[in-house]
Every structure is written in C-alpha cells, then in structure tokens.
Amino acid sequence: MPTPLPPRWGLSDLFQGIDDPAIERHQAVCRRRAETFAKTYRGKVVTLSDRQLLSALKMYERLLQDAGVPETYAYLVFSVNGKNPRHGAFLQKTKEAYVAIYQTVLFFELALVEAKTSMLRRWMGSPVLKNYAHFLEELLRGKPHRLPEREEALMSDLRLTGSAAFTRLFDEELANKTFLWTRGKRRVCTMTEILDLLHDADRAVRKEAAAVFTKGLREESRRLAYMLNVIVQEKRTEDRYRRYASSEASRHQDNQTTQAVVDVMTKVVEKHYPFVQEFYTWKRQLLGVKELFDYDRYAPLQESKQRCSFEEAQSIVLKTFSAFSPQFGAYAKEFFDKGWIDARPGSGKMHGAYCMPVHPNLHPYLHMNFEGSVKDVRTLAHELGHCIHYRFARKQTYLNFHAPLTIAETASVFAEMLTFDHLRSRVESDKERLALYVGMIEDIFATVFRQTAMYRFEQDLHEAVRKGGEQSVEAINALWRKRTVQMFGNSMTITHGYDLWWSYISHIFDRPFYVYAYAFGELLTLSLFAKYQKEGQKMLTPYRDLLTAGGSVAPDVLCKRLGFDLHDPAFWEQGMQVVSDLMSEVKTIHRRLITSR
C-alpha cells in the first residue's frame, strides 16, 4: 500500500477561491468602514475623551484586522503555486486594495503620533486605555521617524512597485526555478528537492547537488543582484527620509529592541565561532575525509538515512506536545484534524516553511515542504510552535496580537527542543543517538551562528551600497564569502560556487535584517529550556503567560519576568552553555561507539 502523501490545506475558512465574489464584497465593506471612520475622526483625535479614544481604537483595529484577510488569503494561495500567473496578479491586486484602505485611515495613527508627548504619556497611563498602553508606547518610540500623511501615503504607494514588487518577483523566480539533475536517472528538480540532496549520505551526490544548485543560481545571479540592489537602495532612501541613524535601526524598532542589546548578543555569538570550527573539525575526522567542503556541512552519518511518513511525524509531534501539556497537544491536533497544514512539496511551491497568522479570531495556517527527514519532523514541530503561540495570543486584540520577531521565535524553538528531547528518549542505539545529536547541533548552528553571519553580511552590504552605490554580483559574493569564512575558519573549505548562495535567502530580500531574530530567539529559548529542565512544570505557567502576552508587552519586560536581562552578556552565555553541553554529549556518545567496537 503506498504511503499517503503529506496534506494539502483547505482555505475555505477564508474564501472559496480567487474568483469568489465574497472577496470583492469584503473589500467593499472595508472601504466603506474606512471612509466612515475617516469622516468620524479626522481632525478630532486629540479632542477625544479617553472613552471616545478607546472606541476609536477598537474600531480602527477591527478594520485593519478585517482589511488584511484577502491579502493573507492571496499569499497563502500564491505560496503553494506561484507558477500560476493568476495567483501573482491576485496577490498584487489584494495588496493594492489593502493599501488603499490603510491610507484612508492612516491619519489616525499619525494624529496620535503628532499629539504632544505629554498627552501621549497621559493616554498610556489611562486606566480606560490600559489595553492599548503598549501600542501607544511604541507609537511614541517611533515618533521621530514618522512622516506627514501625504508622504506616508506616497511611501506605501511606491513600495508596491518597488521593494514589494521585487520581493514578489524573487518569490516567483525561485518557486518556479528548476534544476536539471543528470546523475543517475535524469530529472528536473525543484529547489526543495535539490537542497534535500545536500543531506545525502553519498558525498558524490552532495557535491553534484551543490554544483547543480550553484549553476541554477548563476543563471539568475544578475537579476537577483539587481533586485537586491533596488531593495537596499529603496531602504536607504526611506531611512534617510525617516531619519534612521543606521540601516538596521528600523528593524530594531520593529523588533522592540535596541542596537545595544543586538550588539551584546552578536558579540557573544561571534566570540563562540570557535564552537563551529571545533565541531566541523571533529565532523571531518568522523567522516574520515582529509578536507571538509561546504557541500559536506550537512553530510549525515551513514546510520542516519532513516525516513518517516508524515503520519509518523504527526504522531511524534503530538506525543511530544501532549507530554509537555495536554493543552498544547490539543491545540496542535486541531491543525492536523481540520486541514490547516500544507506540507506536500510541488512545482511552483515556495521553498521553506512558515506559520501564517490571520487575526485573533481565526486560526493560523502552516506551510512546509515535508520530505520525510528527521529534520522535517523538527521543522513541523517548529512551525506548530508558532501556531500554538498565536493560539494563546488570541486573547489579545489585533493591535496587541503579533509578538515582535525577537519573541516570535521563542515558542517555535521551544517546541523543537521538546521534540528533540522526545526523539532522544526513544532512540535505542548510540548510532541513532549520535546522528540525532549531530542533526540538532547543526540546526542550532544554522540558526545562531549562520544567521548572525548573515546579519553581519547584511550590515556590510547595506553599508557598501550607502557608500558606493549599486554592488555587482562579484562584490556581493565577496561580502558573503568574508562573513562565511569568518564563521568557519579553517574547519571547512568554502568553494567559490558557494559565494552565490546569498541569492536564495528570502529574508535578505523581503525583510532586511530579519535574520538576527533567529539567533536572538534561539539563544533566548535555549536559556528558557535550560530553566524548564531544572524547574519542570513550574515553568509551564510563566511560559504560557509569555505566549499569551502576544505583542502586548515589550520583550525586555517579558524577559525580566522570567529573570532574564537582555543587556547582560551572561544571559546570552547561558544559551551558549546549552550548545556547549550538547557538543560534549555528542563527543561522549562517539567515544562510547569507538570503545564498543
């Protein structure tokens, strides 16, 4: 009997299809509501009583919540099949419709921002407006960087045909990109399939996969470099108008953190680059090769070829979550039972994985490409962690719903660590245990060290564009190589083909400086998980409280409640200690294997 394919999601909770007439009706209702809101409140915001302002805030957030649904639906459709040109056109149309609605009510936030600071502070302290205190606080923080209404509207209009358009083009190019595999049976591969071959136990397969992938990227390199240059230049222009001191300053503001905190974390990570170098020197010896190349990075141990079906992955994840908390298990089970997961790879489907929230009154959707590896099991757990975070945050209203990126990775990484714990408790041999540990360590390295190296690369790139204008493919390659070699040192030989691999990293294109949030969230969660291992179920309530807070509380305040100080290097070192402990354990397992032969 053939193994059932991974699931496709159903989106009928949103709309019945891209031609559903309910979409235009929904948008028309939102436009009318926006116009009514503008007539009611334009020019009157600073004259409102606290209760009147509360009423306006509730109306405003409900409008934004509802207006964004068609665009979310369009993105979900597009990400599963970007090859269909109608899907791309539909996504663009919904983006334009949302921007038009948003611009109608844009005056409201700007009026709040333009109020006197003393008035903003009074609103923040008002018991009537308590639910919106953090939202108002963030408006105050961003006050120096807001523009007059006409300029804000112009920025959002131009973005549709600027960075947003190039980001969509990037997604379409890579979703539709194919790679010709000629080793053995000739076939055409998607990007997901070709990258999966980099995990093959056969070194010749990995080497060929890297060469085929590089060849495909080289074919697109001029276009991709041009797209990236345009995106960086647009950000440079907007940052100048908004008076940001550095390229990454706007991201820090969105993440509700500071340059000082990110610098502390980054320095701690770079200080521990020797962990990476030590591990890959050890792995080279383990694999028995004289020289380790970049295509060997994810070389599995011969014993780690095990694959599992989606049903087996589902069982593992549900058992893991339920053992931690029956409530977590029940929340996760809904996604499988109700068809909210799309895990089947396919031509035109976007590479990678994500959890897409809609709004507090509706469930999220989970997108991934499940190929059956142990890593895919952890990815499933990771994205379900995001989904459960949003499930808890549904107690918040829309303006408080989304946690900043620095906190958003907490639940996902915690879920992944729980799953790793479950998997290592069930393995029966040190051979399997060694493979499991190596995979987990490499995932942590990819999240902490690699993402930090990418962040440094982005800093270099944005600085180069600011000083020297448009950068060539070769110049971008050199910046990428510099930060890659800095991380790996002499433990790995970086081929020149790898120099182009910046060009498939979506976050560099669609969300500049997004990547450091992965390292931030991973180290924060490793410290949190270490605390859980010491305290057990005592951690469940404060952890649930963190998830429930959504975006209603600043990250540093949430962390202080858990006893963490983000400004203290010692906090980040706690996460690094977990990494060090895992490396020690994997070496102990390896020694046992050697002595037992």
Side-chain angles (χ1 to χ4, degrees), residues 59-80:
M59 192 180 302
Y60 175 69
E61 70 177 346
R62 283 196 299 269
L63 174 58
L64 292 185
Q65 171 178 300
D66 294 343
V69 174
E71 184 183 342
T72 299
Y73 174 71
Y75 184 82
L76 293 169
V77 171
F78 174 79
S79 68
V80 171

Side-chain angles (χ1 to χ4, degrees), residues 292-304:
L292 199 71
F293 291 92
D294 48 73
Y295 52 78
D296 295 318
R297 183 194 302 191
Y298 299 120
L301 307 179
Q302 291 294 328
E303 298 83 4
S304 70

Side-chain angles (χ1 to χ4, degrees), residues 50-51 121-131 133:
D50 289 2
R51 293 203 176 276
R121 293 192 184 282
R122 188 186 67 75
W123 284 333
M124 286 161 52
S126 168
V128 172
L129 299 170
K130 182 179 179 181
N131 184 58

Side-chain angles (χ1 to χ4, degrees), residues 134 255-256 389 393 396 400-408 410 520 524 528 531 539 541-566 571:
H134 183 62
N255 287 347
Q256 298 177 30
H389 192 169
Q396 303 297 334
N400 294 321
F401 180 52
H402 296 275
L405 293 176
T406 42
I407 293 294
T410 305
F520 194 112
L524 191 162
L528 185 66
K531 192 177 178 71
M539 271 292 299
T541 298
Y543 179 59
R544 191 188 290 120
D545 290 345
L546 181 146
L547 302 184
T548 302
S552 66
V553 182
D556 61 332
V557 175
L558 285 173
C559 289
K560 281 178 184 176
R561 292 176 183 175
L562 293 164
F564 299 152
D565 180 1
L566 300 180
F571 164 69

Side-chain angles (χ1 to χ4, degrees), residues 167-184:
T167 296
R168 175 190 150 192
L169 180 59
F170 170 87
D171 289 338
E172 286 187 3
E173 288 274 304
L174 294 192
N176 296 325
K177 181 68 180 174
T178 57
F179 302 85
L180 183 61
W181 182 254
T182 57
R183 181 182 175 83

Side-chain angles (χ1 to χ4, degrees), residues 79-297:
S79 68
V80 171
N81 185 7
K83 187 174 283 189
N84 187 332
R86 292 186 68 217
H87 293 170
F90 177 57
L91 178 60
Q92 182 69 11
K93 184 178 179 181
T94 57
K95 284 179 180 289
E96 291 170 359
Y98 177 80
V99 167
I101 293 167
Y102 175 70
Q103 288 180 350
T104 304
V105 297
L106 175 61
F107 76 90
F108 181 66
E109 278 193 27
L110 294 177
L112 292 173
V113 168
E114 290 165 4
K116 291 181 179 179
T117 300
S118 59
M119 180 173 283
L120 267 170
R121 293 192 184 282
R122 188 186 67 75
W123 284 333
M124 286 161 52
S126 168
V128 172
L129 299 170
K130 182 179 179 181
N131 184 58
Y132 299 95
H134 183 62
F135 169 72
L136 293 167
E137 181 183 9
E138 287 305 302
L139 287 182
L140 180 58
R141 283 185 67 228
K143 186 171 184 172
H145 309 292
R146 296 302 292 262
L147 302 172
E149 183 178 350
R150 185 175 178 80
E151 292 177 27
E152 288 282 3
L154 181 62
M155 288 281 192
S156 59
D157 274 340
L158 292 177
R159 206 173 291 122
L160 285 172
T161 51
S163 59
F166 280 107
T167 296
R168 175 190 150 192
L169 180 59
F170 170 87
D171 289 338
E172 286 187 3
E173 288 274 304
L174 294 192
N176 296 325
K177 181 68 180 174
T178 57
F179 302 85
L180 183 61
W181 182 254
T182 57
R183 181 182 175 83
K185 185 178 179 181
R186 185 183 177 95
R187 62 193 173 105
V188 174
C189 296
T190 64
M191 186 164 72
T192 296
E193 290 170 333
I194 206 74
L195 289 175
D196 190 54
L197 290 170
L198 293 171
H199 297 258
D200 198 275
D202 187 336
R203 194 182 201 196
V205 170
R206 296 195 304 272
K207 183 177 181 180
E208 182 68 16
V212 169
F213 188 55
T214 297
K215 181 176 181 293
L217 293 179
R218 187 172 288 116
E219 291 167 356
E220 312 296 333
S221 61
R222 298 296 168 190
R223 285 188 293 277
L224 292 170
Y226 179 71
M227 292 178 208
L228 186 56
N229 270 289
V230 170
I231 290 166
V232 173
Q233 287 279 19
E234 181 185 279
K235 188 175 191 311
R236 175 193 182 193
T237 300
E238 185 165 345
D239 285 345
R240 185 173 71 250
Y241 276 94
R242 294 191 183 281
R243 301 177 295 278
Y244 282 113
S246 68
S247 300
E248 62 264 40
S250 61
R251 175 61 62 196
H252 299 333
Q253 182 174 308
D254 288 345
N255 287 347
Q256 298 177 30
T257 189
T258 64
Q259 186 72 55
V261 167
V262 177
D263 285 347
V264 168
M265 179 205 71
T266 304
K267 286 176 183 176
V268 169
V269 173
E270 290 183 322
K271 171 187 168 185
H272 290 285
Y273 275 173
F275 278 4
V276 178
Q277 296 155 18
E278 177 189 349
F279 177 82
Y280 283 105
T281 298
W282 173 81
K283 186 171 184 179
R284 175 181 60 77
Q285 296 166 353
L286 185 67
L287 292 171
V289 296
K290 290 183 178 180
E291 190 174 8
L292 199 71
F293 291 92
D294 48 73
Y295 52 78
D296 295 318
R297 183 194 302 191

